[in-house]
Amino acid sequence: MNDENTPLLNPLVDPHEIHLIVLTGVSGGGKTVALRALEDLDFYCVDNLPTTLVAPLVNAVIQGKGGNHRRIAVGVDVRNRGVDFAQMPNVLSDLAGAGVQVHLIFIDCRDEVLIKRYSETRRRHPLASRGRSLGDAITEERRLLRPLMAIAEKVIDSSELNVHQLRRLVATGYAQATEGLTLMFQSFAFKRGLPLDSDFVFDARCLPNPHWQPHLRPLSGKDAPVREFLEAEPLVGEYFADTARWLDAWLPRFEQDDRSYVTISIGCTGGRHRSVYLVEKLAAHYRHRRDGVLTFHRELD
C-alpha cells in the first residue's frame, strides 16, 4: 500500500516524454478526485474510457490531434460495461513498448468504508441492481478489477484519507511529470485551524471583510459581487501585490533546491471570501507564467 511519504514517480523522470496514467479502482474510492488533481496539473484527462480506445487516444495526442499535450490520464472502471479488463495489460504493454511512460494507479478502499460512503452520499453503486446488495456489488467489482490491481504500479488505499489528502497525494506524486515547480494555492479558515501541509501561510484577516455586508455573506470569493467589493479596496490590492512580489523573489530559490511542489496557504476568519479571492487571483497571476498551478478551497471544496 502507498502512504503519503512515498513518491509515486521516479524523481528522475523526463517531463518531455509522453506520460500515460491509467486511474482505476473501486467505485467510491476517490478516482474522480484523483483525476481532477491530474487535470489541474495540465494532464489531458478522459474518464470512463473503454480499453479499446486507450491506444487510439494516446496516438492522437502524440500526433498533435489532441493539442500540445504530453501528459495523459484516463479513468477506467466498471461504469463502462464494455471494458475488457483482461485486455488492459496487453494494451499498456504495447504502449510501453512504443516508448510511452505508462503508470497504472489503483485506488482501493476497505469495504466497510465504501459502504459508509455510499450510505452517507446515498449514491447507487454502478453494479448494484435489484436482488444484489451493496456488499455483493463491491465483491463483484473487485473480481472484475482483479487483472488491473495485479499489474498496478501503485495501490493507494484511500480508507483513511479525506478528499483533500487524496488530492494532494496524487498531485504531489505526479508534479514530477510537469516542468518546473508546481504551486498549490489553498484557502482556509483560521477558526478551523492551520492546514498542516502548508509551506507558507499568509493571514488575510487584516483586510476588509465582505462577511459584514448582508448581501455578500452567502457568497464566496469566486462570485463577482465579492470580487468587486474587494477590488474596490486599495488595501486588498496592496496585499496582493506584496504577496506576489514576495513569492516572485523566493519561489526561484525553491526551484534551485530541486523542490517539485510548494503549498501556499492563505487564511481569513471564515475561509470563504478574502482568502478565496486572493487564492484565485494569485493562481490566475501565476498561470500566465508557468504550468502546474493548482487551487484548493478547504472550506468550499
Side-chain angles (χ1 to χ4, degrees):
M1 293 296 180
N2 190 74
D3 59 46
E4 292 194 50
N5 297 316
T6 303
L8 297 179
L9 280 185
N10 186 328
L12 301 180
V13 73
D14 182 358
H16 298 287
E17 296 176 335
I18 297 291
H19 291 272
L20 170 66
I21 297 175
V22 177
L23 276 170
T24 189
V26 294
S27 301
K31 181 177 64 64
T32 300
V33 172
L35 199 62
R36 286 175 180 167
L38 294 172
E39 187 173 30
D40 286 341
L41 286 173
D42 202 31
F43 277 77
Y44 186 91
C45 296
V46 181
D47 197 10
N48 198 18
L49 191 70
T51 304
T52 55
L53 296 182
V54 174
L57 172 67
V58 174
N59 289 331
V61 173
I62 290 174
Q63 294 169 16
K65 296 177 182 178
N68 188 25
H69 287 275
R70 304 187 68 82
R71 301 184 293 274
I72 309 163
V74 300
V76 176
D77 57 48
V78 297
R79 288 176 297 166
N80 192 317
R81 305 303 172 87
V83 172
D84 185 354
F85 297 111
Q87 290 302 313
M88 183 63 79
N90 295 331
V91 171
L92 299 184
S93 178
D94 291 343
L95 287 170
V100 177
Q101 300 297 309
V102 177
H103 313 277
L104 176 59
I105 308 302
F106 191 100
I107 301 182
D108 199 8
C109 186
R110 297 195 305 271
D111 287 5
E112 65 270 22
V113 178
L114 289 174
I115 291 172
K116 180 180 179 182
R117 288 177 182 175
Y118 273 99
S119 174
E120 290 174 346
T121 62
R122 298 186 179 181
R123 293 177 53 206
R124 182 175 178 271
H125 191 282
L127 295 183
S129 61
R130 291 183 179 179
R132 176 182 281 171
S133 68
L134 176 57
D136 290 339
I138 293 172
T139 299
E140 175 63 10
E141 182 178 45
R142 290 192 184 281
R143 184 189 69 80
L144 293 171
L145 292 173
R146 198 171 298 144
L148 297 186
M149 190 174 186
I151 63 168
E153 174 183 305
K154 288 292 180 182
V155 177
I156 300 174
D157 187 344
S158 69
S159 302
E160 303 299 329
L161 301 177
N162 60 35
V163 171
H164 319 316
Q165 292 168 330
L166 177 59
R167 190 172 185 267
R168 178 177 169 84
L169 174 61
V170 174
T172 53
Y174 286 98
Q176 297 170 27
T178 65
E179 299 182 54
L181 186 69
T182 294
L183 305 180
M184 165 69 87
F185 290 96
Q186 67 175 337
S187 65
F188 71 96
F190 272 99
K191 66 182 182 181
R192 293 189 57 194
L194 292 173
L196 298 180
D197 57 358
S198 304
D199 293 299
F200 301 110
V201 175
F202 294 90
D203 187 346
R205 288 177 293 183
C206 60
L207 301 178
N209 191 353
H211 174 81
W212 301 116
Q213 305 298 318
H215 67 290
L216 299 179
R217 188 172 301 169
L219 306 179
S220 79
K222 292 183 176 183
D223 295 311
V226 175
R227 293 199 308 269
E228 292 167 2
F229 172 87
L230 292 171
E231 286 168 0
E233 297 285 345
L235 192 63
V236 176
E238 291 180 30
Y239 190 100
F240 166 79
D242 287 345
T243 304
R245 194 159 38 243
W246 191 91
L247 291 172
D248 287 343
W250 288 100
L251 288 177
R253 308 295 179 93
F254 283 82
E255 290 181 301
Q256 295 170 8
D257 197 37
D258 294 327
R259 288 282 294 272
S260 63
Y261 196 95
V262 168
T263 298
I264 300 104
S265 299
I266 302 178
C268 60
T269 306
R272 292 187 53 84
H273 298 110
R274 294 165 291 182
S275 59
V276 171
Y277 166 81
L278 287 167
V279 160
E280 292 293 326
K281 190 170 178 64
L282 283 166
H285 171 74
Y286 282 100
R287 283 189 179 118
H288 288 300
R289 307 164 65 180
R290 60 169 70 225
D291 294 326
V293 177
L294 314 178
T295 61
F296 175 64
H297 302 292
R298 192 180 74 179
E299 319 309 341
L300 300 183
D301 295 346

